[in-house]
Structure formats: structure tokens, C-alpha cells
Amino acid sequence: MSKSSVNAPLGIIRSTAVISLGLVALAGSIASVLVRRILTPPAKAEPAGPQISKLVTDEWEADLVRLNLPSRSEVQAMQQQLVELEAQIDQLIQPASPPRQEG
């Protein structure tokens, strides 16, 4: 009956090293395939960005309403109203100031 090299302490180390090298090579090939898949655009891609963005925006606005907070469009409308009111205040203040005399 022949002796197996796996039973010897050096045989186990050798087998472990060979298995480890095989796993590293396999992981490297899997990683290269994944990188190629990530970097290569699909042949027929539909733009899902606007649809997803609209869904997310709708959810955020619903959450803001529940929390009684203004949405982005409401904040922009308030900013526009503020600009208009500042312009009106500036117009009201200008005639009230006395004219400057040079000299």
C-alpha cells in the first residue's frame, strides 16, 4: 500500500498552497469578467434615470408634506416672491429719500 502525500505535514502545506493559488486565479478571472460587464454598456439600454428620479422626487415631496415642510418648488416660489417684494420695497424707499444736491 502506498503512502499518501496528504498525510505528511509538508504534503498538506503543498496542497493548501496549490488550492490557494487556484482560488486566487479563479477570483482574478471572475473579477476581470465583472469589470468588463460593468464597463461595457448594454446593447439596448432604456433610460430609466428620469423614471426613477421622478419616483424618488414624488416620494420625497410626499414625505415633506407629511412633515409639514416646504418642497423645493415651494421654496423656489417663496424665493421669487421675496425678490419681488424686495424690488417693491426698493421702489418705495427711493422716492422717499431726499434728492442730493451737488456742490
Side-chain angles (χ1 to χ4, degrees):
M1 192 166 172
S2 72
K3 237 175 155 182
S4 172
S5 65
V6 176
N7 291 335
L10 290 179
I12 292 172
I13 293 172
R14 182 180 178 275
S15 297
T16 304
V18 170
I19 291 171
S20 298
L21 289 175
L23 289 174
V24 168
L26 179 64
S29 67
I30 290 173
S32 68
V33 168
L34 287 176
V35 167
R36 267 189 257 125
R37 280 189 186 173
I38 290 170
L39 296 178
T40 305
K44 187 177 181 183
E46 294 181 16
Q51 296 169 351
I52 292 173
S53 175
K54 177 74 171 133
L55 290 173
V56 170
T57 304
D58 291 344
E59 281 186 37
W60 284 350
E61 287 188 5
D63 289 340
L64 291 174
V65 168
R66 271 186 260 131
L67 295 172
N68 199 23
L69 296 172
S71 67
R72 176 180 283 172
S73 60
E74 291 171 337
V75 169
Q76 289 174 345
M78 285 187 278
Q79 287 175 336
Q80 182 61 34
Q81 287 177 346
L82 184 61
V83 167
E84 291 170 3
L85 289 173
E86 287 174 344
Q88 289 177 358
I89 290 171
D90 289 341
Q91 287 175 354
L92 292 173
I93 290 175
Q94 285 178 354
S97 63
R100 290 187 179 177
Q101 293 180 356
E102 293 181 26

